[in-house]
Amino acid sequence: MKDDEKTTIRQEETDGGSPFGFTRREFFNATATSAVVGAGLAAGGWSLGGGTAQAAEGNQDFHVGPGELDEYYGFWSGGQSGEVRVMGVPSMRELMRIPVFNWDGATGWGITNESRKILREGLTPAGKRRADKQGGVLRNGDTHHPHLSMTDGSYDGRYLFINDKANSRVARIRLDVMKTDKIVQIPNAQAVHGMRPQKAPKTGYLFCNCEFMIPQPNDGRDMESPEKYKTVFAGVDAETMEVKWQVLVDGNLDNTNADFKGTYAFSTCYNSENAVELNGMMRKDRDHVVVFNIPRIEEAVKKGQYKTIGDSDVPVVDGTKGSDLTMYIPVPKGPHGINTTPDGKYFIANGKLSPTVTVVEIDKLDDYFKGGMKDPRDAVVAEPEVGLGPLHTTFDGRGNGYTTLFIDSQVAKWNIEDAIAAFQGGDTNPIKQKLDVHYQPGHNNATLAETKDADGKWLMVLSKFSKDRFLNVGPLKPENDQLIDISDGDMRIVHDGPTFAEPHDAVIARADQINPNKIWDREDPWFDDVKAMAKKDGIDDLRMTNKVIRDGNKVRVYMTSSAPQYHINEFKVKEGDEVTVVLTNVDNIEDLTHGFTLTNFDVCMEISPQQTASVTFVADEPGVHWYYCQWFCHAMHMEMRGRMLVEKA
Ligand code: K7E
Ligand code: CUA
């Protein structure tokens, strides 16, 4: 091997701290090419025919200069932070954060009346009981999978959806204002993990995988009988965000995806053993992909062939093994990601604990459901070995898959048709290139790859570990999102991007597909509740009114603001009053956001141009309490403040 002299590392040249006797950085720099070829041989048994890891010169420009705009919007999950982040691609500039399941001091998410209603109203009865114990709303979320709504297999710019594994919820974000507008908690479930919108004809359903198996109902019965535990797959109406139906299944549902016709959803499923500890979950060599026949599920619900569980009235149909609503396709142990090719022909289940990915031809699913296919494995058309720990696959729209290899810390580029030919006995090597990434990649996603418009320009790889790639920030490290040019020939890394806990997944849309408003529209339904409340207080236009209304021990302060002042400089209340501040920003200039922060009261909110926001609290401390604008809006921003005077009771 030509690189031998570079890869021979003598102990005396190295730092003693590494188990390998050299740092990871030195190792990867020195062995980029040889490590790639070695892994290719070890994993697949195919040689790479002299391919190199990184192309010498690039083609696309990833530099977006000052004042220039990105070509793509990226939507990043914020993982355990419970939020969503909006990025510019390829610059990798973070443009915005959208609070979802978390509390946020900048915008007052979790504090304002508007956000608290959204955080609360879709909770199950048990969720509401839990929320009541901590001030009315839940406090944390664990977001994994952000996905955009589609019409006919293309992004339509309406909504972004995201799951919450921690409290079993799904949220919708309105892309016109980039705010979360609905959240639903899935009943009969623990840990909503995989989540995908239907791709066509239009995002009607969100398909939600509930991961952990539990007794059904989970009210104290059957706790010692894990063999009776079941989990559910849920169909949520994307317009109303109500759970329409659920399907009982065997095994732990992991990730899910949909076809481009609106007929099928498919989920990877591990732990077919129904075990409750690790050893038991590892017993069998195979797990499965569960295919859900959506028209049949709808039909069964319509015919009343369902039951309800516990205090939920959601129809639950039986899709366990042997049901004619589902198909269980055996695949190698512990499948994880599941990805539909942009041409709609195949889905690919990623092996995780097996070095393979399984390619299933979607048209063949019809044969099974019509009774023509007896062995579900007959729908499998390829099963190439791609490397160690395949987690997720994405596509360039030119017939290639890009699979993250968690254990190998690589991305494998492979050709789908070559893999199918090899499965039929041909000797073409489907593996085209392996690229080192840094390190332990989870999801990856290429530009528009979930839609039929995959354009094969940029690939985002979300690496779990950053190790030595950034300045050390203590024991908790950032993850590393790497931007890879896939536009032509070999993949090449062009950017390392540190990110905070933990963007499992990200989707990338063309800039012209997402068209947010520049300021709020006063007719927005977002303001319906607060307008109705004002109407009862005799107020027709919140933009024209500055007024304090007393209603028993309830006080409503209707206030407007325009830079640099609040139009109520002081208001008086009595100790113990319940105070609602309704603030309307009458500025109608882009960017002129104000805020309202009440010092030492733990109260804050954002008011963007033409927005109304409200917050309710008890004035339980007598004295003078300043409120101030926390958004630097004007040269006299520091002076933008006022006093709440609380008289002793
Ligand atoms: Cu692979 Cu939750 Cu999508 Cu993380 S999951 S990586
Ligand atoms: Cu208004 Cu600062």
Side-chain angles (χ1 to χ4, degrees):
M1 199 177 289
K2 202 165 130 243
D3 277 332
D4 263 357
E5 63 278 15
K6 278 197 262 168
T7 56
T8 307
I9 293 163
R10 290 188 305 274
Q11 190 63 36
E12 61 269 25
E13 289 177 0
T14 64
D15 73 326
S18 156
F20 304 108
F22 44 87
T23 69
R24 260 189 111 91
R25 175 180 293 278
E26 286 163 351
F27 176 75
F28 278 99
N29 285 348
T31 63
T33 302
S34 54
V36 160
V37 174
L41 287 167
W46 282 299
S47 83
L48 277 172
T52 53
Q54 310 208 352
E57 78 256 17
N59 24 41
Q60 284 189 104
D61 192 3
F62 65 96
H63 180 71
V64 181
E68 289 175 10
L69 302 182
D70 280 292
E71 262 181 78
Y72 299 89
Y73 280 97
F75 295 91
W76 258 239
S77 139
Q80 311 88 303
S81 76
E83 65 186 12
V84 160
R85 299 169 195 150
V86 186
M87 307 280 285
V89 177
S91 75
M92 300 301 292
R93 298 182 292 205
E94 185 182 284
L95 306 175
M96 187 44 62
R97 294 180 170 205
I98 305 172
V100 187
F101 303 109
N102 55 328
W103 290 53
D104 174 54
T107 57
W109 193 258
I111 296 170
T112 63
N113 296 333
E114 291 72 29
S115 62
R116 290 174 68 82
K117 184 181 176 198
I118 292 162
L119 281 161
R120 184 173 172 95
E121 69 184 350
L123 296 178
T124 61
K128 285 189 175 135
R129 289 196 295 275
R130 172 70 39 215
D132 285 341
K133 287 171 191 143
Q134 31 229 22
V137 299
L138 301 176
R139 297 170 297 186
N140 81 304
D142 181 8
T143 60
H144 287 223
H145 302 116
H147 291 291
L148 294 157
S149 61
M150 297 183 207
T151 301
D152 294 327
S154 297
Y155 289 143
D156 59 21
R158 295 182 301 142
Y159 300 119
L160 177 81
F161 303 95
I162 188 137
N163 74 302
D164 164 24
K165 177 164 170 173
N167 285 312
S168 311
R169 292 174 290 179
V170 183
R172 179 173 78 184
I173 291 163
R174 273 176 50 187
L175 292 174
D176 58 347
V177 289
M178 299 272 176
K179 297 284 184 204
T180 306
D181 84 324
K182 289 232 179 238
I183 295 176
V184 63
Q185 190 172 37
I186 312 291
N188 313 320
Q190 272 177 27
V192 171
H193 183 231
M195 189 279 300
R196 290 276 182 163
Q198 206 169 19
K199 295 176 195 281
K202 182 176 167 169
T203 297
Y205 287 115
L206 303 179
F207 299 120
C208 306
N209 275 351
C210 307
E211 186 175 353
F212 301 150
M213 295 181 292
I214 48 175
Q216 300 286 359
N218 190 23
D219 57 3
R221 75 188 73 183
D222 298 337
M223 293 199 293
E224 308 292 345
S225 315
E227 69 286 355
K228 290 192 187 159
Y229 294 8
K230 296 273 180 242
T231 190
V232 290
F233 174 79
V236 172
D237 183 318
E239 284 305 326
T240 62
M241 292 297 281
E242 285 165 359
V243 185
K244 285 307 214 198
W245 41 253
Q246 296 186 319
V247 185
L248 271 186
V249 292
D250 289 303
N252 281 102
L253 292 175
D254 194 353
N255 279 287
T256 190
N257 216 316
D259 67 2
F260 278 88
K261 290 184 190 149
T263 311
Y264 300 113
F266 9 85
S267 301
T268 48
C269 204
Y270 67 100
N271 188 20
S272 51
E273 299 87 348
N274 275 32
V276 289
E277 25 64 60
L278 182 64
N279 283 345
M281 293 183 196
M282 294 293 111
R283 229 166 35 233
K284 291 193 196 159
D285 285 340
R286 298 220 145 178
D287 286 305
H288 41 256
V289 167
V290 189
V291 179
F292 298 91
N293 186 318
I294 306 305
R296 283 202 188 172
I297 291 166
E298 289 174 326
E299 190 61 27
V301 172
K302 215 156 128 205
K303 286 191 191 143
Q305 294 161 349
Y306 63 81
K307 57 176 183 173
T308 59
I309 299 175
D311 58 9
S312 152
D313 53 11
V314 171
V316 183
V317 298
D318 184 5
T320 52
K321 277 179 198 153
S323 154
D324 63 357
L325 310 178
T326 51
M327 169 184 183
Y328 286 72
I329 305 175
V331 295
K333 184 203 244 359
H336 183 61
I338 188 158
N339 305 91
T340 310
T341 56
D343 59 11
K345 280 196 198 161
Y346 310 105
F347 72 73
I348 286 151
N350 298 264
K352 191 178 74 183
L353 304 181
S354 152
T356 56
V357 293
T358 304
V359 183
V360 171
E361 188 174 334
I362 293 174
D363 276 347
K364 293 197 176 202
L365 304 176
D366 294 344
D367 298 348
Y368 176 85
F369 283 102
K370 284 181 191 144
M373 180 192 294
K374 295 291 167 237
D375 181 359
R377 280 288 300 179
D378 289 346
V380 173
V381 294
E383 206 153 62
E385 287 194 22
V386 292
L388 297 182
L391 288 188
H392 297 278
T393 297
T394 188
F395 309 98
D396 58 11
R398 298 187 293 266
N400 299 306
Y402 297 76
T403 303
T404 51
L405 304 172
F406 182 81
I407 297 170
D408 283 340
S409 277
Q410 290 183 320
V411 174
K413 174 181 175 182
W414 55 281
N415 184 275
I416 300 164
E417 293 306 326
D418 286 354
I420 293 170
F423 194 68
Q424 290 162 352
D427 55 6
T428 7
N429 175 6
I431 308 289
K432 301 304 166 196
Q433 189 199 354
K434 289 194 177 185
L435 178 72
D436 292 334
V437 294
H438 313 88
Y439 305 91
Q440 270 73 40
H443 275 272
N444 62 355
N445 224 322
T447 39
L448 279 69
E450 301 189 322
T451 71
K452 64 180 190 198
D453 310 314
D455 67 5
K457 290 212 172 150
W458 298 106
L459 172 67
M460 208 44 249
V461 175
L462 307 179
S463 297
K464 302 291 185 187
F465 298 172
S466 62
K467 296 184 188 288
D468 53 6
R469 301 287 282 194
F470 305 114
L471 286 176
N472 181 18
V473 287
L476 176 62
K477 308 274 191 250
E479 273 91 62
N480 186 11
D481 296 351
Q482 293 187 298
L483 181 71
I484 294 168
D485 182 357
I486 55 166
S487 61
D488 191 20
D490 282 346
M491 300 180 269
R492 83 186 163 114
I493 295 176
V494 301
H495 181 88
D496 266 14
T499 42
F500 182 59
E502 172 185 345
H504 284 259
D505 198 2
V507 292
I508 307 166
R510 254 189 356 254
D512 63 85
Q513 294 176 310
I514 312 288
N515 290 292
N517 301 342
K518 293 191 169 165
I519 62 174
W520 281 85
D521 175 357
R522 290 303 303 170
E523 298 310 312
D524 197 299
W526 190 269
F527 308 128
D528 285 354
D529 287 348
V530 74
K531 278 184 186 168
M533 180 176 81
K535 189 137 201 127
K536 282 195 205 143
D537 286 333
I539 295 165
D540 285 333
D541 190 343
L542 286 162
R543 288 173 299 180
M544 310 297 283
T545 313
N546 288 284
K547 187 160 162 184
V548 179
I549 287 172
R550 175 168 287 281
D551 172 8
N553 69 343
K554 295 192 158 98
V555 177
R556 289 184 283 282
V557 182
Y558 293 96
M559 199 190 314
T560 62
S561 71
S562 58
Q565 51 186 320
Y566 296 113
H567 298 293
I568 292 182
N569 288 329
E570 63 171 75
F571 60 90
K572 250 186 214 148
V573 297
K574 292 200 183 68
E575 184 183 352
D577 281 344
E578 183 195 282
V579 181
T580 299
V581 174
V582 178
L583 189 52
T584 302
N585 178 357
V586 299
D587 281 315
N588 56 10
I589 300 164
E590 212 179 321
D591 238 334
L592 233 177
T593 294
H594 300 291
F596 177 88
T597 297
L598 186 57
T599 35
N600 295 1
F601 259 84
D602 201 26
V603 161
C604 65
M605 56 189 181
E606 157 215 358
I607 315 105
S608 279
Q610 295 290 304
Q611 184 182 5
T612 297
S614 71
V615 64
T616 300
F617 55 91
V618 176
D620 48 7
E621 294 285 343
V624 171
H625 303 277
W626 286 97
Y627 48 89
Y628 71 93
C629 170
Q630 81 271 31
W631 239 280
F632 210 114
C633 54
H634 191 276
M636 280 173 302
H637 152 83
M638 302 304 290
E639 288 79 3
M640 184 166 172
R641 53 196 168 110
R643 288 176 306 155
M644 174 175 77
L645 309 174
V646 183
E647 295 173 337
K648 241 178 157 28

